[in-house]
Amino acid sequence: MSAWAKMVVEKVLGGPAGLPSRGARAALRIVAPAVLVAAFAVVAGCGDTSATEGSTITTAATVKKSDIVLASTTSTQDSGLFDVLLPAFEAAYPQYTVKVVAAGTGEALKLGENKDADVLLVHAPTSEKEFVENGFGTERFEVMYNDFVIVGPADDPAGIRGTTDAAQALKAISVAEVLFVSRGDDSGTHKKELSLWKASGVEPSGAWYESAGQGMGDVLAISSEKQAYTLSDRASYLNLLEGLDLEVLVEGDKALFNQYGVIPVTDATNAAGAADFAAWIISTEGQTVIGDYGVEKFGQPLFVPNAG
Amino acid sequence: MEIFTQSIAEAVRLVASFDRYVFQVMGLSLKVSGSAVLIGLVIGLPLGVWLGLSRFRGRAILVALVNTGLGLPPVVVGLFVMMMISRKGPLGFLSLLYTPPAMVIAQVILATPYITAITMSAVGSIPREVRLQALGLGASRIQALMVVVKEARLSIMTAVIAGFGAVISEVGAVMMVGGNISAGGENKTRVMTTAIVQEARMGNFETAMAFGLILLAMAFAAVFLMTRLQGGPRSGWVKS
């Protein structure tokens, strides 16, 4: 609820009727000093971390942790990979805690440009290369790939099931004018979708082409609810499968390939952590964790490691 | 700090050029939140008057419930409404999910507690004698109630303003049940707050800030209008 609305309420309740305002004021008297103390503690704490950042050599008893801010995409987050990848990394490097910011690729790259993130794990190779060329990232390493699939309702009103050419399938959807939900958020998945439309020679527009401007999980939920088609990465789809009324209709086209890259940000707040994370994720150990993820749950790996 | 000057310039540019997209999104924001507050008023005003004037067992619990409603997290309300109207939910046959009416339903749930709580405390603070005197002068029970409501009208307007402020600025519920959808260049369920989230996610921080400024200006204009309606010569925060 907006603070503004709360203020209005307080103004009114603070009148003759005086409902909870006296209590609130008393609470404030107690809380305010506590907040101040906490703020000081945080400031002091920050000073602490930056001091120890340079020298991570510590005795085993007192391992000082520093944060690595990892900017990644909502589809990677929705895939569930981080739930196994990050604990494995933190076990190998106990001095770090990884904080994930899941955004669209556009925002993730912007976070890197502003140095609000230390390291990026995204999947838009062209934008990534530009990012490094412009000096925002130190280097880009290929990490893994997964693939995109076109999913849609089981009754498949546009008749695209089994098509091996993704662009042709999109064309058929546009001709049939069946609802298609686009990410519309400048994400890696959105960019992939636009490149497929371009290949199909169709300029998607009209009431059948909806744009949600949201993450992969949200767009899959919307598509399922509306029985519409959409483009999804396989990992997000498999991970959310249970709640969805959607089937994979088109897969296997080379154009549906989805390459992930890792980029440490230039002059990052935690540059050492960023470099360690990038080195670990392309190491044999990191690559094994990636290759194993999903085999147990879905009977197939969700990502294929291909670093080096 | 040039992002701030740039986003102010962008906000002015978007409004001055009558950008069709921006005006569609602004329009839907006002329509959804305005309808929600009107419906909230229809529910909250009688409820607030009743809770403010009557004394009965269990009233304290109801009052506490209403006051708790002031802190309802929009995202929880959104989730609840979504589960109710999803295709698999009990009201799925209505096909309401991802439509403006769904957004109105969620915001009614958010706005009503504000209107009820403030009305309740406003009529509760009108001296009992006012109603007794009206009754003594031969007014019917309904007429006597109307006298009390009339006395409390300024605070009731404040209730409307508070409810409007709560819903025009929330994003959690409308994102969940609306879906922030536009189709073929036509806005379907995108409002100012969800548009801000989207622009920020895309890394368009300037545009996001510009949308934020427009939202603030819009809310200010709406509240200013309501305050004028409320106050006349003695506008401002009036204690009744």
Side-chain angles (χ1 to χ4, degrees), chain A residues 97-113:
Chain A
T97 307
V98 181
K99 289 199 212 157
V100 178
V101 181
T105 301
E107 184 180 0
L109 292 170
K110 204 70 156 207
L111 287 171
E113 273 180 38

Side-chain angles (χ1 to χ4, degrees), chain A residues 23-261:
Chain A
R25 253 178 249 141
L28 198 66
R29 234 173 278 137
I30 300 166
V31 172
V35 169
L36 273 179
V37 170
F40 274 117
V42 168
V43 170
C46 284
D48 242 19
T49 12
S50 53
T52 49
E53 236 164 53
S55 57
T56 38
I57 312 147
T58 42
T59 57
T62 57
V63 177
K64 288 265 183 183
K65 293 210 168 209
S66 67
D67 288 337
I68 303 173
V69 179
L70 168 66
S72 190
T73 69
T74 50
S75 37
T76 325
Q77 170 102 318
D78 290 345
S79 76
L81 174 67
F82 289 143
D83 300 337
V84 298
L85 191 68
L86 300 185
F89 171 70
E90 287 168 1
Y93 288 84
Q95 67 269 41
Y96 298 126
T97 307
V98 181
K99 289 199 212 157
V100 178
V101 181
T105 301
E107 184 180 0
L109 292 170
K110 204 70 156 207
L111 287 171
E113 273 180 38
N114 294 345
K115 309 203 187 305
D116 291 324
D118 299 315
V119 59
L120 312 180
L121 181 66
V122 289
H123 52 94
T126 319
S127 310
E128 289 166 35
K129 281 167 195 157
E130 252 171 49
F131 183 85
V132 175
E133 273 162 24
N134 291 335
F136 297 120
T138 56
E139 203 175 346
R140 173 181 178 275
F141 306 96
E142 306 224 309
V143 176
M144 59 190 181
Y145 68 85
N146 68 343
D147 64 335
F148 289 105
V149 289
I150 298 177
V151 297
D155 61 357
D156 187 19
I160 60 167
R161 190 191 297 273
T163 313
T164 49
D165 184 335
Q168 281 304 316
L170 288 186
K171 198 170 183 179
I173 294 171
S174 75
V175 169
E177 300 207 340
V178 187
L179 207 56
F180 182 98
V181 182
S182 166
R183 287 282 294 273
D185 63 351
D186 208 19
S187 61
T189 309
H190 185 217
K191 285 176 176 163
K192 171 64 81 176
E193 181 212 316
L194 291 180
S195 75
L196 291 172
W197 281 115
K198 204 168 178 192
S200 75
V202 177
E203 177 78 33
S205 63
W208 59 274
Y209 184 72
E210 294 196 340
S211 173
Q214 293 199 64
M216 197 67 252
D218 304 295
V219 167
L220 280 168
I222 293 173
S223 305
S224 170
E225 187 69 30
K226 296 192 160 208
Q227 289 292 286
Y229 292 97
T230 194
L231 179 76
S232 171
D233 59 288
R234 189 187 296 272
S236 299
Y237 169 74
L238 285 177
N239 214 40
L240 299 167
L241 183 60
E242 269 168 47
L244 297 175
D245 250 349
L246 296 170
E247 290 183 5
V248 172
L249 299 171
V250 177
E251 59 188 326
D253 186 346
K254 278 232 167 60
L256 293 170
F257 191 87
N258 185 26
Q259 179 66 47
Y260 282 75

Side-chain angles (χ1 to χ4, degrees), chain A residues 8-31:
Chain A
V8 174
V9 172
E10 224 159 65
K11 277 236 153 120
V12 174
L13 296 182
L19 267 170
S21 68
R22 194 172 298 164
R25 253 178 249 141
L28 198 66
R29 234 173 278 137
I30 300 166
V31 172

Side-chain angles (χ1 to χ4, degrees), chain A residues 1 4 107 211 214 225 245, chain B residues 72 87 114 165 179 182 201:
Chain A
M1 210 89 15
W4 172 71
E107 184 180 0
S211 173
Q214 293 199 64
E225 187 69 30
D245 250 349
Chain B
L72 273 182
R87 282 201 316 138
Y114 279 86
S182 77
R201 270 192 189 164

